[in-house]
């Protein structure tokens, strides 16, 4: 699905301003992870809504944080082995 290009650009700029530690690669990885969770494309969020909802919540940030926590857990397991 797609959103209005102007809304997508505006929200993505706002996202990077509010989350300066997040990089483009993380956004792409989080987006791919989200798309894997969607069984039916009919229920896929529009791009601008995925970045930020009107209430200020961000599904994109949720997925970025999920990736970061998964990486930390894997690193901890690796550290325990060594």
């Amino acid at each position: 699905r797609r959103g209005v290009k102007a809304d997508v650009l505006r929200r993505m700029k706002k996202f990077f301003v509010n989350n300066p530690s997040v990089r483009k690669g993380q956004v792409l990885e989080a987006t791919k992870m989200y798309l894997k969770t969607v069984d039916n494309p009919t229920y896929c969020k529009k791009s601008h809504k995925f970045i930020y909802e009107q209430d200020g919540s961000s599904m994109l940030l949720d997925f970025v944080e999920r990736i970061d926590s998964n990486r930390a857990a894997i690193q901890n397991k690796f550290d325990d082995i060594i």
Side-chain angles (χ1 to χ4, degrees):
R1 288 192 142 205
R2 45 184 260 175
V4 176
K5 186 176 180 180
D7 285 339
V8 171
L9 292 173
R10 184 173 41 81
R11 290 181 192 211
M12 189 56 77
K13 286 178 185 178
K14 178 181 175 184
F15 180 84
F16 282 119
V17 166
N18 291 340
N19 304 285
S21 63
V22 177
R23 300 288 170 238
K24 286 192 299 186
Q26 291 171 291
V27 169
L28 291 173
E29 192 175 346
T31 303
K32 289 176 185 176
M33 180 186 261
Y34 166 68
L35 292 173
K36 288 179 184 176
T37 67
V38 177
D39 294 328
N40 185 341
T42 303
Y43 301 110
C44 187
K45 280 192 168 280
K46 290 188 176 185
S47 303
H48 65 288
K49 294 284 190 171
F50 177 66
I51 300 166
Y52 274 118
E53 286 285 349
Q54 285 182 333
D55 65 2
S57 64
S58 173
M59 188 177 274
L60 173 58
L61 184 58
D62 293 342
F63 275 89
V64 168
E65 289 172 347
R66 188 181 301 178
I67 289 168
D68 289 344
S69 68
N70 288 347
R71 282 195 180 129
I74 290 169
Q75 184 63 41
N76 288 340
K77 284 183 180 182
F78 181 74
D79 291 343
D80 290 343
I81 293 172
I82 297 176

